[in-house]
Amino acid sequence: MARIDLFRAGLALPDPPALPAPTMATPPKDHDIRRGLIDLRGAIAFDDRPILSIDDARAEIRARMSEYLAMPDPGYILLVALPPGSGKTTEAVRQAEFEADIGGKRILFAGGRHNMWDDIRNASTLSPAAFQQFWYHWQPHQQGDPETGQGQTCRYARQFKTWVDRGHRGIDFCKQPRVCGWDYIKNACPYHLQAQQPQPIVFVQHAHIALGHKLIERSAIVIGDESPLDAFLHAWCIAPRDIVPPDLADYGPEARPNVDLIELTQTLRALVNQTPPHDPDTKKPLPAWEGTALLEQLGGAQRVADICADHGITAEDRAYVPQLWGPDQADQVPCWYLDHLIPLLAAEAREALAEREYITRVRVNQDGVTLLLRRPHQTLPPHVIWMDATANPYLYRDIFGRDVKVVAPRVQMSGTVHQVYARLNNKDRLVGGASSKKPKRVDRAAERALIKQQVAQIVRHGKYQNPAVVTFKAIVDDDFGAFPRAHFGGLRGTNRLQACDALIVIGTPQASLTALRDQAAMLLPKRMLPFDLTWSDRTLAYGGHAYGYDVSGFWHDKTLQALLEDTREAELVQAAHRVRPLFRPVDVWLLTNVPLNDLPPDRLLSITDLFEAPKGVDPYEWPKVLDLVEAAGGEGIDAEQLQQKLNLADRTAERWFAALCAYPGITVERRSTGRGPHRRICVKRFSAELPPRGYK
């Protein structure tokens, strides 16, 4: 009976299935753990800022920078947020050269990587000789590398780094008579003599803004490029062997050994080998000793407060320099961290005694004692310009402690952005690992197989010859090794993909809850009120479309949300611009449902739209149906063959064959079987590809 019913269904000529444009109708639910598109017609206001050409956008930021630098004391940082690849660095370089030439000003130009020097040199309009007169690339303490052409600036670079990593000031290593001494520093040291270079523009690293630089006080302008956040955050892990310092009297003539403080460090060392307490909810061991559990192990909050109040370490101790008998002795210098530990423990003890919840910045696990510290920015000149394509003003206010004004013109793109919104494609589902909330049990191999089907569909119908892929590091080589590729977290600044004819960005990068919480704790060192860790949804609109999506985040805490977006939305935007869609007519495919304000999609597609599957048909299986028709050629395929070859249930076969009969490019013929009534046959009857590229 089932086959008779199937046969009768094949005789019926169904109406063509409705295939509405993806932005004009709300699609059905697209995943069992997410909602579909949300109709926002009448509920949102579109961005009405004019869309400028890249030349007009550059002219705008030039005018704003000139206006800003003309103010004697603006009182704020100027944040320039043009898309990646739009020429921000070029404009910053030219502005620096203008101010140095016409205004005679000293300028620090800060970057996040030393190889940015090549970008600066390429962006300059000066002749090679003039460039050398205007620019100097500040070199770090290094032994020198003949292969890269970097010269030696420090004959004891390794020992110097060890000394600094152990908590001591760098100059206190250099000035020791048995290392270098003051005469060598002033007259012969290649590193320190760099301060005498005559060039008015000095290229330094972000770390120099956080740790200090010889030329900051002599500079009239600081210009920064790319996010400096990492330079200011310092998670310092004290190794177990360094937790208990020698007798505190060894640190200075005025110090009095504090027996209680020494005992406290001994307890910290003992906790390294002890399993932390269990989480009351999950019943699993916590990753570290921290908070009230740590204070209890140290004798209670009151005892910790008393020890910190009478620690016996004076300002002279902090300035005291352990004497070295030679540079190699830096390997045996005790780690000096107590002047950081004591304030952190004192603050936590104070909050515990007041019976308030608080942020923890001291943790102990098998790796040692970790202190979450913030490097304060040095005293900067009145004028600070920072270039960051995906800048978050809220973070910059926290970093520099100044008001921030943003110039962010909208720029016309030559490329086309396609966004397949139907799946989050987060790291948990594709790779595994920590996330902000516990995921459901998933078959990650199956999830990745579906992603590869999407990529194959995109490449096939786009007829791309050199497509690139950006996704998670753990899968980019194994699953997409045949493509030019990059991974989240390692793509900013790269130009390796700019010649590709398409880019497919797979997944939604996101830092773990622990990492975000620690970043926030370091960014705001004086805050003790815990961050709001509520993980909730908020409907965000896709730019240019009257639809939105519910996006999860820390919407009740501005700091956590800003840090989340810096690793999620900002990373997606940075990835998309690796193929330079501002200037090239290249396709960018976003396989994530997160709406991006800085990258509105030209086309918004569901999985069904991507595979051009009729309604009611599994979109991932639909290409197999079309392949059967293609392979059958003029013989065509009937309903029974479709059912047998794809192993379909009766009703599924009925529905799929009916959809095939109505599909564009398919001709339905009635042919005699030699016995009984005629049967319907689906035949491909056109020369173009099947199916047509409707999403282009």
Side-chain angles (χ1 to χ4, degrees):
M1 287 297 296
R3 292 192 177 185
I4 293 176
D5 292 340
L6 181 63
F7 175 77
R8 290 175 177 173
L11 296 178
L13 290 174
D15 295 330
L19 295 174
T23 59
M24 296 304 295
T26 302
K29 181 178 178 181
D30 57 34
H31 199 281
D32 59 353
I33 64 170
R34 301 292 295 174
R35 287 179 289 274
L37 287 186
I38 298 173
D39 192 342
L40 298 177
R41 286 174 288 190
I44 61 171
F46 291 104
D47 190 345
D48 58 358
R49 291 179 300 158
I51 300 178
L52 306 179
S53 68
I54 187 61
D55 291 335
D56 289 341
R58 289 171 177 169
E60 179 177 338
I61 67 171
R62 282 196 295 270
R64 292 288 296 275
M65 285 193 291
S66 298
E67 175 186 323
Y68 172 75
L69 294 174
M71 301 178 184
D73 189 4
Y76 63 87
I77 290 173
L78 185 65
L79 193 55
V80 179
L82 275 179
S86 59
K88 298 184 309 304
T89 301
T90 298
E91 296 303 326
V93 166
R94 293 178 181 178
Q95 190 72 43
E97 293 173 347
F98 176 82
E99 295 295 329
D101 185 21
I102 304 301
K105 298 175 181 177
R106 164 78 75 177
I107 299 166
L108 284 190
F109 197 109
R113 46 195 170 84
H114 277 286
N115 61 6
M116 188 181 173
W117 178 247
D118 295 331
D119 299 335
I120 290 174
R121 190 160 42 199
N122 293 333
S124 175
T125 57
L126 300 175
S127 66
F131 182 83
Q132 291 182 0
Q133 294 177 356
F134 273 84
W135 287 85
Y136 180 74
H137 182 185
W138 189 275
Q139 298 297 312
H141 288 84
Q142 60 189 12
Q143 290 282 3
D145 186 349
E147 293 185 2
T148 62
Q150 293 181 335
Q152 183 189 67
T153 60
C154 178
R155 52 187 178 179
Y156 305 124
R158 183 194 64 78
Q159 296 91 331
F160 176 88
K161 183 178 185 303
T162 300
W163 173 272
V164 172
D165 288 346
R166 290 180 174 274
H168 304 284
R169 295 190 310 164
I171 190 64
D172 291 338
F173 173 83
C174 302
K175 71 182 183 181
Q176 302 212 26
R178 292 179 175 84
V179 178
C180 291
W182 281 115
D183 287 342
Y184 181 80
I185 291 173
K186 294 177 181 179
N187 301 311
C189 175
Y191 177 83
H192 291 281
L193 289 179
Q194 292 182 103
Q196 301 179 18
Q197 291 290 333
Q199 293 92 331
I201 312 174
V202 180
F203 174 62
V204 299
Q205 298 298 292
H206 290 162
H208 289 116
I209 307 300
L211 298 173
H213 192 278
K214 289 176 174 290
L215 301 178
I216 285 183
E217 294 182 356
R218 287 187 266 165
S219 299
I221 303 171
V222 168
I223 298 177
D225 202 331
E226 301 179 357
S227 173
L229 179 64
D230 289 344
F232 289 88
L233 308 183
H234 181 35
W236 189 11
C237 183
I238 314 302
R241 67 179 182 276
D242 295 321
I243 294 175
V244 181
D247 188 342
L248 297 182
D250 291 345
Y251 279 88
E254 304 298 328
R256 300 185 306 277
N258 186 320
V259 176
D260 290 334
L261 183 57
I262 294 175
E263 183 180 339
L264 183 145
T265 62
Q266 290 171 341
T267 304
L268 289 174
R269 175 62 184 86
L271 289 176
V272 169
N273 298 322
Q274 297 183 29
T275 303
H278 287 67
D279 185 289
D281 296 326
T282 65
K283 307 304 181 183
K284 296 181 179 180
L286 293 172
W289 290 94
E290 61 180 313
T292 55
L294 176 60
L295 294 179
E296 289 173 2
Q297 292 295 317
L298 297 177
Q302 186 61 61
R303 181 172 184 270
V304 171
D306 293 341
I307 293 174
C308 293
D310 187 29
H311 49 72
I313 298 176
T314 66
E316 289 78 9
D317 299 324
R318 297 190 184 97
Y320 177 74
V321 182
Q323 295 302 306
L324 301 178
W325 298 99
D328 290 336
Q329 195 182 353
D331 296 331
Q332 285 77 47
V333 168
C335 186
W336 184 243
Y337 71 100
L338 296 180
D339 55 338
H340 294 289
L341 172 70
I342 290 170
L344 295 182
L345 282 180
E348 295 189 19
R350 181 177 62 249
E351 297 299 309
L353 290 172
E355 298 183 350
R356 293 189 292 258
E357 294 185 358
Y358 56 89
I359 296 172
T360 62
R361 296 182 174 88
V362 181
R363 295 170 192 162
V364 184
N365 61 15
Q366 62 183 5
D367 296 325
V369 176
T370 298
L371 308 180
L372 301 182
L373 305 173
R374 157 70 190 262
R375 295 185 175 112
H377 64 80
Q378 304 302 301
T379 301
L380 299 177
H383 295 95
V384 178
I385 299 176
W386 216 274
M387 325 291 287
D388 186 351
T390 51
N392 188 309
Y394 193 83
L395 289 182
Y396 276 85
R397 279 193 291 269
D398 287 338
I399 291 172
F400 292 108
R402 291 190 194 178
D403 288 337
V404 175
K405 290 190 178 181
V406 183
V407 51
R410 298 175 67 194
V411 184
Q412 179 66 51
M413 289 210 313
S414 298
T416 302
V417 178
H418 311 264
Q419 185 159 5
V420 182
Y421 65 82
R423 297 169 59 89
L424 176 64
N425 295 330
N426 64 11
K427 189 173 183 180
D428 279 325
R429 300 192 68 84
L430 298 180
V431 180
S435 71
S436 54
K437 64 177 184 178
K438 186 177 180 180
K440 293 184 178 180
R441 186 183 299 275
V442 295
D443 183 344
R444 294 190 177 93
E447 292 286 318
R448 288 157 62 173
L450 295 179
I451 287 294
K452 286 190 279 189
Q453 279 188 256
Q454 293 180 45
V455 171
Q457 176 76 359
I458 290 169
V459 173
R460 173 188 175 189
H461 285 276
K463 294 184 176 179
Y464 303 121
Q465 300 300 310
N466 186 31
V469 167
V470 172
T471 187
F472 302 105
K473 184 177 181 180
I475 64 174
V476 67
D477 291 329
D478 293 341
D479 290 0
F480 304 100
F483 298 96
R485 58 203 180 278
H487 60 81
F488 297 126
L491 51 83
R492 300 196 184 199
T494 181
N495 295 320
R496 292 185 295 105
L497 307 181
Q498 63 182 0
C500 296
D501 58 355
L503 176 67
I504 307 170
V505 182
I506 304 168
T508 306
Q510 180 178 305
S512 68
L513 169 59
T514 300
L516 292 171
R517 183 186 61 185
D518 289 353
Q519 284 184 339
M522 291 184 280
L523 183 62
L524 302 176
K526 295 182 179 180
R527 172 172 168 168
M528 296 305 294
L529 180 68
F531 300 103
D532 191 334
L533 302 179
T534 303
W535 186 253
S536 60
D537 287 350
R538 177 176 292 183
T539 302
L540 302 181
Y542 293 99
H545 299 269
Y547 293 92
Y549 214 95
D550 273 356
V551 178
S552 298
F554 298 105
W555 299 110
H556 301 284
D557 193 293
K558 290 184 178 179
T559 299
L560 282 178
Q561 183 61 29
L563 290 167
L564 172 64
E565 292 175 4
D566 193 55
T567 62
R568 187 174 65 185
E569 283 84 347
E571 193 71 4
L572 288 169
V573 172
Q574 290 282 352
H577 282 277
R578 293 310 97 198
V579 290
R580 301 294 185 254
L582 278 178
F583 309 104
R584 304 174 59 231
V586 61
D587 285 343
V588 174
W589 288 85
L590 302 175
L591 305 188
T592 173
N593 58 27
V594 176
L596 303 173
N597 289 333
D598 297 329
L599 201 67
D602 299 283
R603 295 283 293 164
L604 197 58
L605 301 95
S606 67
I607 295 294
T608 297
D609 297 326
L610 176 64
F611 286 95
E612 295 188 299
K615 184 178 179 181
V617 176
D618 183 346
Y620 290 101
E621 295 295 316
W622 186 246
K624 297 179 182 179
V625 176
L626 301 178
D627 288 343
L628 288 176
V629 179
E630 183 84 22
E635 295 296 323
I637 188 172
D638 61 14
E640 184 176 348
Q641 291 171 323
L642 178 66
Q643 181 181 22
Q644 292 176 349
K645 290 182 179 297
L646 297 183
N647 194 26
L648 302 176
D650 293 345
R651 292 187 178 180
T652 301
E654 294 175 18
R655 188 171 64 252
W656 288 22
F657 188 75
L660 180 61
C661 291
Y663 199 72
I666 295 296
T667 298
V668 181
E669 300 179 359
R670 287 187 172 84
R671 296 181 183 175
S672 173
T673 61
R675 60 185 184 280
H678 288 57
R679 58 175 179 155
R680 285 203 309 165
I681 302 292
C682 288
V683 184
K684 174 186 172 183
R685 288 297 191 190
F686 62 100
S687 58
E689 72 274 8
L690 177 66
R693 291 174 59 196
Y695 55 75
K696 291 289 287 184

